[in-house]
């Protein structure tokens, strides 16, 4: 069976679709370097920025005051990084913080204590997420449905292949919605979430509310049933979007006993000396991602034990 890597980007405006796909693939090749011969592999990026943002960012623009100026283009990593050792102490601290936030913000059934507050947070701090859950300023139709259908259509077209799906940032929320609501019948061999906000209480409350609207009433979230192989969740400790990154504690295993495996990595993206530990390119080329992708492309079982 042939194999394909499908990616879906995160929040914020982006360069044009073809450019972003080229840069994602270049970052992936960085991570695969030294792990075998991968001159060719099937890759498709699902591009949805144009649904929320009217004009794409311009890589050729030099005026930093121009709204179309691209501040963080793809750049090659400056060094080869070792695989990170997961710190048990840091994981326990993050889990404690996550548990306390959930106690403050969520009811026992997983719904939010403060709907007005969460809506305020979405609208003023994460504009793309607000547009996704509520409205798009440039489209009369539901931005959420339109975005989800882009990914759903791509997955359906490739359903006869073994699929590894990489979802970055807000793309992890889109991936969850699509796998649970749009294409629960399409098998995903491997899901890789990078810089994911799925552990945030406000996001989890939305996921649970959606399931209840569909007639289900779970108190806890569960790994989508169509993930058949593994779910790897990569997060940098300095990534603010992935602060609540211990997804193993947030998602029960599915019937195939697939559950998120949290891997804490180092995201080495920087531009003109400024680091961005949330940037997709740094995640796509980290050693852990390279190992996951090389084993998938070779048809080998993935384990970090």
């Amino acid at each position: 069976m042939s194999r394909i890597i499908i990616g879906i980007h995160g929040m914020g405006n982006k360069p044009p679709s073809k450019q972003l796909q080229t840069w994602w693939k270049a970052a992936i090749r960085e991570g695969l370097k030294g792990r075998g011969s991968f001159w060719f592999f099937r890759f498709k990026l699902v591009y949805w920025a144009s649904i929320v943002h009217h004009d794409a960012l311009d890589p050729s623009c030099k005026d930093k005051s121009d709204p179309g100026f691209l501040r963080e283009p793809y750049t090659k990593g400056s060094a080869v990084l070792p695989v990170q050792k997961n710190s048990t102490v840091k994981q326990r601290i993050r889990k404690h913080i996550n548990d306390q936030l959930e106690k403050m913000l969520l009811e026992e059934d997983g719904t939010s204590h403060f709907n007005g507050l969460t809506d305020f947070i979405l609208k003023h701090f994460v504009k793309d997420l607000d547009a996704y859950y509520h409205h798009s300023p440039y489209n009369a139709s539901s931005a959420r449905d339109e975005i989800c259908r882009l990914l759903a259509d791509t997955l359906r077209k490739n359903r006869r292949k073994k699929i590894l799906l990489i979802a970055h940032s807000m793309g992890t929320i889109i991936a969850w919605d699509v796998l649970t609501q749009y294409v629960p019948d399409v098998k995903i061999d491997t899901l890789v979430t990078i810089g994911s906000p799925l552990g945030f209480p406000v996001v989890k409350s939305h996921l649970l509310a959606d399931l209840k609207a569909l007639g289900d009433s779970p108190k806890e979230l569960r790994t989508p049933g169509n993930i058949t192989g593994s779910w790897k969740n990569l997060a940098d400790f300095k990534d603010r979007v992935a602060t609540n990154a211990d997804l193993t504690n947030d998602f029960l295993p599915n019937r195939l006993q697939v559950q998120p495996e949290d891997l804490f990595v180092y995201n080495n993206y920087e531009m003109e000396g400024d680091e961005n530990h949330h940037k997709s390119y740094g995640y796509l080329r980290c050693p852990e991602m390279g190992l996951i992708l090389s084993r998938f492309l070779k048809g080998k079982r993935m384990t970090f034990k």
Side-chain angles (χ1 to χ4, degrees):
M1 183 182 291
S2 61
R3 295 167 183 266
I4 186 170
I5 300 168
I6 296 174
I8 180 164
H9 67 75
M11 66 186 74
N13 201 1
K14 306 295 177 189
S17 175
K18 287 184 178 180
Q19 182 66 78
L20 188 61
Q21 171 152 313
T22 297
W23 283 347
W24 266 54
K25 201 165 184 177
I28 288 172
R29 286 192 184 280
E30 281 191 78
L32 288 173
K33 189 175 182 180
R35 297 189 181 277
S37 179
F38 298 104
W39 293 107
F40 172 79
F41 56 87
R42 291 183 177 87
F43 175 71
K44 172 65 178 177
L45 180 69
V46 176
Y47 183 89
W48 57 270
S50 57
I51 294 174
V52 180
H53 300 275
H54 192 265
D55 297 307
L57 298 177
D58 183 0
S60 66
C61 179
K62 305 299 182 184
D63 183 359
K64 293 185 178 182
S65 65
D66 191 304
F69 178 73
L70 177 62
R71 286 173 171 76
E72 293 183 318
Y74 164 73
T75 57
K76 285 187 177 181
S78 57
V80 176
L81 301 173
V83 173
Q84 295 293 297
K85 292 183 178 180
N86 288 304
S87 167
T88 303
V89 174
K90 286 183 178 180
Q91 285 180 281
R92 286 177 179 172
I93 292 173
R94 294 177 74 123
K95 183 180 184 301
H96 175 73
I97 294 171
N98 188 31
D99 290 345
Q100 294 306 309
L101 281 171
E102 290 193 8
K103 287 180 182 179
M104 288 190 297
L105 298 175
L106 300 182
E107 302 281 2
E108 288 186 4
D109 63 355
T111 56
S112 175
H113 275 310
F114 310 106
N115 288 325
L117 175 60
T118 56
D119 283 346
F120 177 84
I121 292 171
L122 291 178
K123 184 173 182 179
H124 292 278
F125 295 98
V126 193
K127 292 183 179 180
D128 283 3
L129 197 53
D130 176 56
Y132 180 71
Y133 279 124
H134 297 106
H135 68 280
S136 168
Y138 303 111
N139 292 273
S141 61
S142 166
R144 181 179 186 178
D145 185 60
E146 197 171 345
I147 292 168
C148 284
R149 289 190 184 283
L150 284 176
L151 177 57
D153 289 346
T154 300
L155 294 177
R156 284 196 195 95
K157 288 176 182 177
N158 293 280
R159 65 187 307 158
R160 298 188 183 280
K161 303 181 181 73
K162 273 197 177 294
I163 298 172
L164 184 146
L165 175 61
I166 304 174
H168 176 235
S169 188
M170 184 175 150
T172 66
I173 298 174
I174 299 164
W176 167 272
D177 285 349
V178 170
L179 296 183
T180 56
Q181 300 178 42
Y182 287 75
V183 290
D185 57 321
V186 175
K187 292 181 180 179
I188 305 299
D189 181 82
T190 307
L191 173 65
V192 185
T193 47
I194 54 179
S196 175
L198 284 173
F200 275 119
V202 61
V203 173
K204 289 176 63 179
S205 69
H206 272 281
L207 303 185
L208 285 165
D210 287 341
L211 292 175
K212 289 174 184 177
L214 293 172
D216 198 356
S217 298
K219 290 186 178 181
E220 295 184 86
L221 295 165
R222 188 176 297 276
T223 299
N226 48 346
I227 301 175
T228 61
S230 63
W231 177 355
K232 308 294 187 184
N233 178 55
L234 278 57
D236 185 304
F237 275 111
K238 294 183 180 180
D239 183 347
R240 295 181 180 180
V241 176
T243 299
N244 301 86
D246 303 293
L247 299 190
T248 302
N249 300 305
D250 295 318
F251 293 84
L252 297 173
N254 63 16
R255 61 183 178 79
L256 298 174
Q257 297 306 304
V258 177
Q259 189 174 20
E261 179 184 353
D262 297 317
L263 301 170
F264 290 94
V265 306
Y266 180 69
N267 185 327
N268 70 343
Y269 180 86
E270 64 175 64
M271 184 61 187
E272 297 180 345
D274 292 329
E275 298 178 344
N276 183 348
H277 294 275
H278 181 63
K279 197 69 181 176
S280 59
Y281 309 129
Y283 277 120
L284 292 170
R285 66 180 170 226
C286 73
E288 293 82 358
M289 179 67 84
L291 183 59
I292 291 168
L293 295 181
S294 64
R295 289 183 174 175
F296 169 76
L297 293 171
K298 292 176 181 177
K300 294 183 178 180
R301 183 181 177 186
M302 283 174 279
T303 177
F304 284 82
K305 303 298 184 185

